[in-house]
Amino acid sequence: MVHGSPVEIPRPSVGVSVPRVDGAAKVTGEALYVDDLPKRDGELHGATVRSPVARGVLRGVRLDPAFNWSDVTIVQAADIAVNTVALIVDDQPILAATHVNHVYEPVVLLACADKAKLARAVRAVTLDIEPLPPVFDMEQSLAKVEIIAGEDNVQKRYLITKGRADVKVEPGAVNGESATAIDAAIAACDVVVTGRYFAHHQEQMYIEPQGVVAWWDTDGAHATGSIQCPFYVHKAFTKAFLLDADRIHITQAVTGGGFGGKEEYPSIIALHAALLAQKSGAPVRMIYDRKEDIEATTKRHPCICEITSGCDRDGTLRALSIRMIMDGGAYVTLTPVVLSRGTLHAAGAYRWDDVRIESIAVATNTPPNGAFRGFGAPQTIWAIERHLDAVAKKLGRDPIDLKEQNVLREGDVTSTGQVLRSSVAGAECLEKAVLASDYRAKRARGPVVSGRTARGIGAAVFMHGAGFTGSGERYLKGKVAVDLLAGGRLGIRTASTDIGQGTETVFRQIAADAAGIAVDAVDFAVPSTTTCPDSGPTVASRTVMVVGSIVENAAKQLSARVRAEVEAHGGTFGEATDRLIAREGPITSLLQYAPPSFITWDDTTYKGDAYPCYGWACDVAEVEVDLDTFEVTVVDFWSATDVGKAINPVMCKGQIEGGSLQAIGWAVSEEITWRDGHITNPRMTNYIIPTSLDAPRFQTILVEAPFAMGPGGGAKGIGELPMDGGAPAIAAAVEHAVGVAMGSLPLTPERILAAKQASERTSA
Amino acid sequence: MKISLTLNGAPRELDSAPLVRLLDALRGPLGLTGTKEGCGEGECGSCTVLLDGDPVNACLVPIGQCEGRAITTVEGLGEMAHLSPLQRCFIDEGGAQCGICTPGMLISAEALLRRVPDPDEPTIREALAGNLCRCTGYQRIVESVRRAAELLREGAAR
């Protein structure tokens, strides 16, 4: 029985579920993840000594004199040329030097060939820290109960104003004319609703923990590992080691999931491994165990949204005021960008005449929060969707009717003043998901109580900006190289990594169709800063839409040259290619992204085209709530999702289902618990991600509203969108089942019981 | 101590302290890195292997208990050029994304299909409940196993 034979792939390949190109290596165990890489000569293991204190002055480091340190390499802050993790703001040291600002902050690095001895060495280091009062609560940070960062604990602010609230640009203002104006606009409305909504931390929980192998040789510094964005690590090395760009070589190993968790964090573990390698003169392998990974690496930002809105009696939404706070953690990392995306999605997928959104990120003495699929949007979409459910309740209408009435359509204007010209599919997604789930009949029937369970259904409507915000792509200047290879093959060189989402396969499909060749005639180089141009990071739902379009153009360009050669001198595509190469030497198309010319964006006023286009979706969740324990089980999940064009439908559905399940976990079972700045559940045993038994059957409907500038006939971003709608859809279903309107995540039995008792007290 | 065992059908010997984890023995001296470590405490199932035909977490089994026993890892299921139906279906049906849970997932599925040739969906989900996946939402994995069972039954009928 031979099942390994290659599958015949039709042409064109776009729209066909081409089997994953890296599949065979992954199902046979041959794919080499970082910890599978062969041991290098003289290799050492690396470990990190971390602060047990949330905030304090670092007085000293004591090495147990009774311990034999002779074969242990020790690195401290003083060993580092420039002790800064290069990212947006230079506030985070690579190793704490004078102060610690969160529990688990790295202070000392150790390396040793003997792993067991290394673990003992970590315990033989004592940190002398004089504690200072920590701040763990974001509202207390905003109230400045202690100043823990900068002058006022504030990491970033934004203000969006539209309509009558657009009276004065007042960056940084807490109150002002626009606040007065939006209050007046809301007060003039028929129906006013106010609510407060909270979204919690979430751990990415990629199944492969973070890891890097680093070494130095005559070419400079090398690091290879589980990395989403090799050029982030490259930039961090340039700064810390004062090295020229061509002396740094960062290469991706096969990566076992990222979800944002391996966007910026790998710079830190790679710097740590490279520092130990530099000092010891030996290669250093640093692989976190699960506990250290959960404790030390970034999480999703917690977020509080206070929303007041006004609408007409007929449900037409009019005015919206949002005040939101995000918890950035101890250092800024990517918080300004996360806050930006959260702010830009806070008004939801709806038309509003007058808008004021004021957002603030503050520091706390908790590990820095960072990138996680959705990047701030799931938190604010949670809030606005729950809020619209409350508005609908006050109007005595079903939430889906209110949402259908107000969802943005072609020609409508968003809260930043962006006119949605095309590729607008919110209404279509809503209609399809509602139909497939039989939502209206189930809502009309009311909750179905059978025995000790109550079944309810709920929906969320949402959109997610694809690509970098505003002018981001203009600054990034993402590049891709495509080589013309012997025999008429193409070779793609890009820094866009495949971390499971299928980049390798989808890029081959795009290039193959653009050049009119077979998918298996296209190669994909291992992403490395030495051999690949900087395509920009693998983030922001931009890989297929933005980088894929560069791949498409480069492949078209090369193919046009070959076809011209065929036209002029005959022969096959392969023969003409060989003649061209023989005549001209190596032929490469190196192209840079050209953002759509219609995009205008003002970073100071936060007005204009926030994103080149949006993906749209409607999720419907059906839940069962145990009436004795209030345990929530998601039993069915429908998603109608607009992807522009599904390049590879199986992979596309895989993104939607996988993202939806992460949303379900965030909603019902995942919760980081804290005590004095320590995480009390840093294990898979007590941080509960869904298993195959917890996952509902997904019914995924692909909607295709093409984006004219997208590759393959209009593809848009899909990576993050599926993370946005699950939580509010489930909360709406819980409300339908048991009548409790939850404003805070997660929807654990304890919280639902407390909310039910509170609402019963209020009504009594 | 000297330990003799059967690994993917072939006799193997190694010299190891008895409390070394089977996972470390496989990935180290036995040279098979297809078995992955995701948590080291028996939660994620990434290190699932067959021990005398039963799926176990290799991070919880001391090598000393493997004397005289048969172990099957992902490398024993099929090769790049000769994939097993289960492996083929994980590729074609989208059962593997990042791939880190895939070896353990395949082993649990293999154990199921050896026992139950025609499993329904709840049976498949139950059999895979000890293997965490963060990428797929499980649906394509369940689909892969169901499709592989079909292929195997068709093959057996022929």
Side-chain angles (χ1 to χ4, degrees), chain A residues 274-531:
Chain A
L275 282 163
L276 285 165
Q278 187 182 38
K279 189 155 182 189
S280 65
V284 170
R285 180 176 301 239
M286 201 164 215
I287 311 283
Y288 288 170
D289 68 15
R290 180 57 59 185
K291 181 168 176 287
E292 183 172 27
D293 194 295
I294 293 177
E295 288 173 341
T297 70
T298 55
K299 312 263 173 296
R300 182 182 302 289
H301 290 68
C303 179
I304 297 169
C305 288
E306 291 171 353
I307 305 181
T308 303
S309 68
C311 67
D312 295 349
R313 205 159 304 284
D314 75 355
T316 307
L317 300 178
R318 294 295 180 194
L320 174 69
S321 174
I322 301 180
R323 185 172 165 276
M324 54 180 275
I325 317 172
M326 273 193 186
D327 178 353
Y331 297 107
V332 171
T333 70
L334 294 170
T335 293
V337 202
V338 174
L339 184 71
S340 167
R341 192 171 273 268
T343 308
L344 289 166
H345 287 75
Y350 307 102
R351 274 186 307 273
W352 302 91
D353 299 333
D354 307 306
V355 178
R356 183 179 193 275
I357 304 167
E358 178 194 333
S359 64
I360 304 173
V362 294
T364 59
N365 294 114
T366 57
N369 295 310
F372 192 156
R373 193 179 207 163
F375 214 71
Q379 294 94 310
T380 55
I381 290 171
W382 156 255
I384 193 69
E385 284 297 295
R386 287 274 63 206
H387 186 78
L388 282 208
D389 292 349
V391 173
K393 194 174 182 179
K394 186 144 185 184
L395 291 168
R397 296 177 61 187
D398 192 276
I400 208 73
D401 295 331
L402 181 70
K403 292 173 183 180
E404 188 172 35
Q405 179 183 349
N406 291 283
V407 70
L408 288 160
R409 290 162 199 264
E410 214 164 278
D412 282 343
V413 181
T414 70
S415 59
T416 62
Q418 176 170 8
V419 182
L420 297 173
R421 294 180 183 87
S422 63
S423 193
V424 182
E428 185 182 351
C429 291
L430 185 153
E431 188 192 331
K432 289 188 164 155
V434 161
L435 196 67
S437 61
D438 202 16
Y439 172 93
R440 289 184 200 280
K442 288 174 181 172
R443 289 289 289 200
R445 201 183 302 138
V448 179
V449 178
S450 118
R452 47 181 270 189
T453 63
R455 185 181 271 245
I457 191 166
V461 181
F462 50 102
M463 63 186 200
H464 195 100
F468 261 87
T469 303
S471 42
E473 294 294 348
R474 220 158 256 144
Y475 297 125
L476 261 181
K477 300 183 168 60
K479 292 172 204 62
V480 168
V482 179
D483 303 317
L484 186 60
L485 304 172
R489 300 180 64 82
L490 295 181
I492 302 169
R493 286 183 287 127
T494 167
S496 293
T497 53
D498 193 327
I499 56 173
Q501 78 285 48
T503 307
E504 276 196 40
T505 306
V506 167
F507 274 15
R508 281 175 162 104
Q509 288 179 257
I510 291 170
D513 282 15
I517 60 176
V519 172
D520 58 13
V522 184
D523 298 333
F524 182 94
V526 173
S528 161
T529 60
T530 308
T531 53

Side-chain angles (χ1 to χ4, degrees), chain A residues 3 33 36 670 692 698, chain B residues 36 88 98 125 134 139:
Chain A
H3 287 273
Y33 298 78
D36 305 332
E670 297 178 32
S692 53
F698 292 102
Chain B
K36 309 300 182 191
R88 183 73 252 165
C98 86
R125 286 185 181 266
R134 191 61 154 168
Q139 181 136 329

Side-chain angles (χ1 to χ4, degrees), chain A residues 695-753:
Chain A
R697 176 132 194 104
F698 292 102
Q699 304 185 51
T700 305
I701 303 156
L702 296 180
V703 175
E704 295 184 325
F707 172 53
M709 316 290 285
K716 300 193 280 196
I718 185 57
E720 297 174 291
L721 180 64
M723 183 70 222
D724 291 340
I730 292 164
V734 169
E735 186 173 353
H736 185 228
V738 294
V740 183
M742 297 293 292
S744 287
L745 287 168
L747 309 176
T748 51
E750 297 87 342
R751 282 165 189 264
I752 297 174
L753 177 64

Side-chain angles (χ1 to χ4, degrees), chain A residues 577-588:
Chain A
T577 299
D578 291 345
R579 284 201 306 271
L580 275 174
I581 294 172
R583 212 159 58 221
E584 301 179 20
I587 296 172
T588 294

Side-chain angles (χ1 to χ4, degrees), chain B residues 26 59 66 109:
Chain B
L26 287 170
C59 71
C66 299

